[in-house]
Amino acid sequence: MKLPILEEQFKEKEICEEFLGYCRKLRISPKQWFFQRNMTNDCYPAASSRKRRALQSQNGAISFSLAQNGETSSYTASKTLGACYSSGNLYILKTLENSADEIIGCAFIKNGELALDEEETVAAASSFIISDKKRSLVRMGSKICVFPDGVIFETGDGEIEKSVYPIETEITFDDFLLSTVVKNKFGNYEDICEYDDENYRIENNCVQQYIEESGTWVNKETMLKLSALKSDNMFEKLSVNDCVYINTEGSPGLHSDISGSVVFKKYDEYQNPQAYKILEKGEEEVNGADLEYIIFSGYIVHDISNKSYINASTFEIRQHLYNYQSDVGSLMILRRKVPDIKFAFESQNRIWACSGSGHEIYASSLGNPMNFYDFSGLSTDSYSVNVGTDGEFTACANYMGRPVFFKENAVHIINGSYPSNGGELDGLSYSVTSSSDFQGVEKGSEESLCVINNILYYKSNGGIIAYDTTAATVISDALGYEKYKNAVAGAVNGKYYVCMEDESHTPNLFVFDTELGMWSREDEISILQFLNVKGNLLFIRESDGAVFSVDRGDVLNSGDYEEEGMFEWECETGEIGFEYSNNKYISRIQLRMKLEGGAGASIFVMYDSDGVWRKKGEINSRGIKTHLIPIIPVRCDHMRFKIKGIGDAKIISFARILEEGGDSV
């Protein structure tokens, strides 16, 4: 009698003692998690819940009232637009609204309170663009520069008085005296009224002085002196080394040469193409009053045959320029300009910026964020360059000491140390290296750039990029096929935190451990901005502006500090059983975990992707233990497990006893 031969039933025990983080793909390793919430790789090879966060500042709305013109007006600083940490203080820029909920500008908040008093806050609001869009705040010394507004906030560190002032400033006045001056041996300025007398002449585009002792003509350094004749504090918005454009309005006006360039023209037909640097600023007595004057380089060429002159209603000007009499006045306009700036950052003690058009790159003069048009031929000058790649700029950053500007498909790197050396280009002068067909920064992800261990990380159209100046490598394959956008990132302790919106506009906070090369997913918090403060990483929650840290510790000492309580977490395996064609089932699982006091976990299973999670057990014991969870056998093609819990937990190992059945149910 022949008996049938029974084949041994397939049985396999899969033990996972090393967890490799998040991977959102169809087929993943048993050591990876298809989905995570509030998990981390900090305890590798174990999987664990993330560190508890801490509330650092509520950063709520600030309301106040102000008496103006006999009436009391109310104001509210509400929506957070950006933040900057400087000299131990957290400065936050908020929209400023009136009692009708209309945005009238912006206000700076310092450590939870108005950075300026109420009256100064309202007065400074008009310096900003009326908008609730996010701003770029760039720190340079004690100054915080706000772009694209072109506004500077002086934090008041040391002996400097706190204030807000726009970079772009225009001064218009009609009581002035403009004359060519020389400095005598006593250090005083002397006016030169005419050049055709026996002492001075113009030769080879230069003013020359006759030296009687030697009988020779020598070049004489001349300057222009612009004096205010009636208005007090006329030039208080300007400083030494500021570069200003000068123009006149009115008839007949002045038509003259300054250093070989036409500056003023009759009937306001010509806009001055050159900015002039203020060399000195002072006060002098005019008609019994102390009034300001400024000195800048150049000289006036009087064309007597064409009757070129300044015409105004003051005797002093007519006296200095041919005693010409007229009742028609003239206006003098001084303008310190700021270029069209889209993104900006600080590097090499300059503010570097790029335009909204996608062609111009700018740098301020050395140590001076107020001036982008100083072209005096010195190594401290401003700098500008036009690039020819297509598309708009999407981001910029200081990387390895070099300014780097990105488009979605291009990168531009500034090499060198200064614009020119005494007006001459040399091997250290600025130059641009451009690369097209490059995975640049995705539009809307300008806040995704972070440097970790000399590697620049950012969000491109193709995913998260690691860039080392030689290659741009995608490192986000584990995030799967979802298209993310609008990335905001920060970095601390070798980890790259990036918050991105998925296709359903849901925010996702991911963390990439650069040492392990593994991803983890935290939660769905929407983040406006990250900040590195005292070795911790802070972030601003977009919904209400509250400031949190990714780890515990009172960083800001604001009085709002509160540690996060127990939070929910979960991790989900990929599909189990794809590699076997027959039906199979799990007979039991073994889960080795460490739970802190009050923590607990539950085990769920899903069969054949039916969308139903079936609870199979709970774990509440404290400490490190191995838990055996029996599973009532259910034959299926494939299955998935989920561990969901609350409180601090570590998953040390996960074992599954898998048995294979026949080819039918």
Side-chain angles (χ1 to χ4, degrees):
M1 178 178 179
K2 293 184 179 181
L3 297 175
I5 298 176
L6 299 177
E7 294 183 0
E8 182 179 0
Q9 187 178 28
F10 171 85
K11 181 182 293 187
E12 181 177 358
K13 184 176 183 180
E14 295 180 344
I15 303 177
C16 180
E17 296 178 319
E18 178 191 32
F19 297 97
L20 303 180
Y22 180 91
C23 186
R24 190 78 172 179
K25 292 185 176 182
L26 180 63
R27 296 290 300 273
I28 66 174
S29 165
K31 299 179 180 181
Q32 295 174 313
W33 302 103
F34 181 76
F35 179 77
Q36 289 181 326
R37 189 169 189 271
N38 287 325
M39 299 297 291
T40 182
N41 298 312
D42 286 351
C43 298
Y44 173 83
S48 64
S49 55
R50 63 165 172 81
K51 295 178 181 178
R52 297 194 189 189
R53 300 167 183 162
L55 173 67
Q56 299 292 333
S57 172
Q58 295 282 358
N59 190 26
I62 297 178
S63 299
F64 61 92
S65 298
L66 183 64
Q68 296 173 306
N69 301 322
E71 297 182 358
T72 300
S73 303
S74 59
Y75 301 92
T76 302
S78 56
K79 183 178 179 180
T80 300
L81 305 179
C84 183
Y85 189 78
S86 176
S87 303
N89 300 300
L90 179 62
Y91 294 90
I92 293 179
L93 187 68
K94 289 178 173 287
T95 57
L96 186 65
E97 302 168 2
N98 58 22
S99 56
D101 295 331
E102 298 170 332
I103 297 176
I104 62 170
C106 300
F108 265 104
I109 309 301
K110 177 184 176 182
N111 299 332
E113 299 179 354
L114 291 176
L116 305 173
D117 63 33
E118 289 88 346
E119 186 174 352
E120 292 173 324
T121 297
V122 174
S126 60
S127 301
F128 296 88
I129 299 171
I130 298 178
S131 168
D132 63 352
K133 300 296 182 182
K134 187 176 179 181
R135 304 299 210 277
S136 174
L137 274 60
V138 182
R139 184 175 67 87
M140 187 174 183
S142 62
K143 297 178 175 61
I144 299 176
C145 308
V146 183
F147 297 103
D149 304 72
V151 171
I152 289 180
F153 174 67
E154 179 60 67
T155 61
D157 297 330
E159 298 179 354
I160 303 174
E161 184 180 356
K162 294 182 293 183
S163 58
V164 173
Y165 45 91
I167 297 176
E168 185 155 314
T169 298
E170 184 172 285
I171 300 173
T172 301
F173 58 105
D174 59 1
D175 296 311
F176 61 90
L177 169 62
L178 181 66
S179 55
T180 304
V181 296
V182 296
K183 185 173 285 190
N184 60 27
K185 62 181 180 180
F186 302 106
N188 300 319
Y189 290 110
E190 295 180 352
D191 291 355
I192 302 176
C193 298
E194 298 180 11
Y195 305 121
D196 57 353
D197 62 15
E198 59 184 12
N199 295 317
Y200 294 98
R201 72 180 186 184
I202 293 180
E203 193 75 22
N204 298 324
N205 197 32
C206 182
V207 175
Q208 295 182 341
Q209 182 181 15
Y210 182 73
I211 307 300
E212 187 174 355
E213 292 81 358
S214 60
T216 59
W217 290 89
V218 297
N219 293 342
K220 183 67 176 179
E221 181 182 5
T222 59
M223 288 151 282
L224 284 168
K225 181 181 180 183
L226 179 59
S227 303
L229 301 180
K230 289 186 179 180
S231 303
D232 190 20
N233 297 325
M234 177 56 65
F235 306 121
E236 64 177 346
K237 295 182 180 180
L238 301 176
S239 304
V240 174
N241 294 324
D242 277 354
C243 292
V244 295
Y245 288 83
I246 307 172
N247 194 26
T248 57
E249 290 182 0
S251 174
L254 173 67
H255 182 191
S256 303
D257 259 4
I258 296 182
S259 298
S261 298
V262 176
V263 176
F264 311 112
K265 193 170 185 178
K266 297 178 182 180
Y267 313 117
D268 195 31
E269 295 174 353
Y270 188 82
Q271 178 66 35
N272 177 22
Q274 181 178 355
Y276 291 87
K277 182 185 290 188
I278 297 175
L279 304 176
E280 186 177 325
K281 181 179 175 182
E283 288 186 349
E284 61 184 350
E285 184 177 337
V286 179
N287 297 329
D290 291 333
L291 300 178
E292 288 185 324
Y293 69 86
I294 57 175
I295 302 290
F296 49 94
S297 59
Y299 58 90
I300 300 176
V301 178
H302 300 299
D303 186 346
I304 299 177
S305 62
N306 290 331
K307 296 290 184 182
S308 298
Y309 45 77
I310 294 179
N311 179 52
S313 57
T314 56
F315 171 78
E316 288 85 354
I317 292 178
R318 296 195 297 270
Q319 179 70 28
H320 280 78
L321 294 176
Y322 318 125
N323 297 314
Y324 183 81
Q325 301 287 337
S326 174
D327 294 330
V328 182
S330 182
L331 295 178
M332 177 76 74
I333 302 171
L334 305 182
R335 188 183 183 198
R336 184 181 59 211
K337 296 201 302 183
V338 59
D340 173 24
I341 291 178
K342 185 176 183 182
F343 304 116
F345 63 97
E346 187 275 333
S347 178
Q348 304 175 355
N349 200 21
R350 302 174 187 268
I351 296 294
W352 288 84
C354 52
S355 69
S357 65
H359 297 293
E360 292 79 25
I361 293 173
Y362 306 97
S364 70
S365 55
L366 186 67
N368 190 344
M370 303 291 289
N371 287 284
F372 288 85
Y373 295 98
D374 181 1
F375 303 110
S376 305
L378 303 175
S379 61
T380 58
D381 280 359
S382 307
Y383 175 74
S384 65
V385 65
N386 191 291
V387 297
T389 52
D390 190 30
E392 59 186 293
F393 287 111
T394 54
C396 55
N398 178 17
Y399 178 45
M400 302 289 284
R402 292 188 292 181
V404 182
F405 295 84
F406 291 94
K407 298 183 178 183
E408 286 195 325
N409 299 299
V411 61
H412 304 275
I413 303 173
I414 306 295
N415 305 292
S417 302
Y418 42 71
S420 65
N421 187 7
E424 298 293 333
L425 298 178
D426 58 26
L428 294 178
S429 298
Y430 288 139
S431 62
V432 183
T433 301
S434 301
S435 297
S436 55
D437 297 327
F438 179 87
Q439 289 198 77
V441 178
E442 177 186 53
K443 184 178 180 180
S445 295
E446 64 275 4
E447 295 283 346
S448 67
L449 289 81
C450 293
V451 177
I452 306 174
N453 297 327
N454 295 331
I455 304 296
L456 179 62
Y457 296 86
Y458 60 85
K459 172 70 171 65
S460 74
N461 282 325
I464 304 298
I465 296 291
Y467 175 60
D468 63 358
T469 72
T470 59
T473 306
V474 177
I475 61 168
S476 57
D477 285 343
L479 301 186
Y481 314 109
E482 185 87 24
K483 294 294 183 181
Y484 296 97
K485 61 181 180 179
N486 298 331
V488 178
V492 67
N493 299 329
K495 295 181 176 62
Y496 178 70
Y497 289 74
V498 57
C499 179
M500 303 181 287
E501 292 181 6
D502 59 25
E503 295 176 31
S504 64
H505 304 290
T506 300
N508 294 260
L509 178 57
F510 296 102
V511 182
F512 180 70
D513 191 312
T514 60
E515 305 229 346
L516 298 175
M518 298 190 305
W519 286 91
S520 60
R521 183 184 180 278
E522 295 200 354
D523 55 8
E524 300 78 36
I525 190 169
S526 181
I527 295 176
L528 177 73
Q529 182 181 342
F530 285 94
L531 295 163
N532 288 94
V533 179
K534 299 179 182 178
N536 207 326
L537 183 64
L538 309 187
F539 63 85
I540 301 175
R541 187 164 61 189
E542 189 169 23
S543 60
D544 58 1
V547 181
F548 294 86
S549 57
V550 299
D551 198 359
R552 288 175 287 185
D554 192 354
V555 178
L556 300 179
N557 300 315
S558 68
D560 293 337
Y561 179 77
E562 182 180 348
E563 293 186 4
E564 185 179 19
M566 291 195 300
F567 54 84
E568 293 185 351
W569 54 266
E570 64 181 274
C571 47
E572 179 184 323
T573 69
E575 302 291 0
I576 298 172
F578 269 167
E579 61 270 35
Y580 308 118
S581 57
N582 293 331
N583 286 282
K584 68 286 296 180
Y585 60 88
I586 294 287
S587 59
R588 64 184 185 274
I589 62 174
Q590 290 177 335
L591 186 61
R592 187 165 177 79
M593 295 186 67
K594 179 181 180 181
L595 297 176
E596 303 296 340
S602 300
I603 312 300
F604 299 83
V605 64
M606 178 191 295
Y607 299 110
D608 291 339
S609 302
D610 64 2
V612 179
W613 287 105
R614 300 162 179 85
K615 189 174 181 178
K616 296 299 180 180
E618 291 185 357
I619 301 171
N620 294 298
S621 58
R622 186 176 178 181
I624 301 177
K625 291 186 179 180
T626 300
H627 306 274
L628 180 63
I629 295 123
I631 304 293
I632 299 176
V634 176
R635 300 180 70 185
C636 60
D637 177 74
H638 56 274
M639 66 203 75
R640 179 178 293 177
F641 285 90
K642 178 167 67 175
I643 307 170
K644 187 175 181 179
I646 188 171
D648 299 333
K650 296 179 178 63
I651 304 173
I652 300 172
S653 66
F654 186 50
R656 303 176 290 265
I657 308 301
L658 178 68
E659 299 187 21
E660 184 177 355
D663 57 4
S664 62
V665 178

